[in-house]
């Protein structure tokens, strides 16, 4: 755990394998639901909408940066 590693002197702890396993688990559930229902509707409350996704990705900031170099 991060707590245990902190006691051993580490100041930064990352869990890269955990993110991959969590994403794979989520995708398996999503695709099973999509196959069963033929729509992403049952997952809508667990998904970002278009604006929410753009906010997480920083789309506006990326576009502004691109305009600076255009």
């Amino acid at each position: 755990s991060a707590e245990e590693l902190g006691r051993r002197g580490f100041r930064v702890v990352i869990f890269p394998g955990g993110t991959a396993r969590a994403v794979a688990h989520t995708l398996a559930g999503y695709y099973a639901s999509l196959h069963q229902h033929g729509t992403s509707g049952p997952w809508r409350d667990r998904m970002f909408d278009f604006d929410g996704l753009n906010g997480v990705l920083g789309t506006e900031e990326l576009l502004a940066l691109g305009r600076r170099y255009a």
Side-chain angles (χ1 to χ4, degrees):
S1 70
E3 183 178 332
E4 173 62 27
L5 290 170
R7 284 194 295 272
R8 294 176 185 224
F10 290 90
R11 294 184 355 177
V12 175
V13 180
I14 62 172
F15 297 92
T19 58
R21 292 190 313 271
V23 167
H25 178 75
T26 301
L27 285 173
Y30 172 77
Y31 286 127
S33 176
L34 186 60
H35 179 73
Q36 179 182 0
H37 300 285
T39 177
S40 61
W43 276 66
R44 198 154 289 144
D45 65 336
R46 291 174 270 179
M47 298 165 54
F48 287 111
D49 64 9
F50 188 73
D51 291 335
L53 181 59
N54 281 328
V56 168
L57 297 175
T59 301
E60 284 300 320
E61 294 83 359
L62 290 170
L63 290 172
L65 184 62
R67 285 189 289 272
R68 281 185 46 200
Y69 297 102

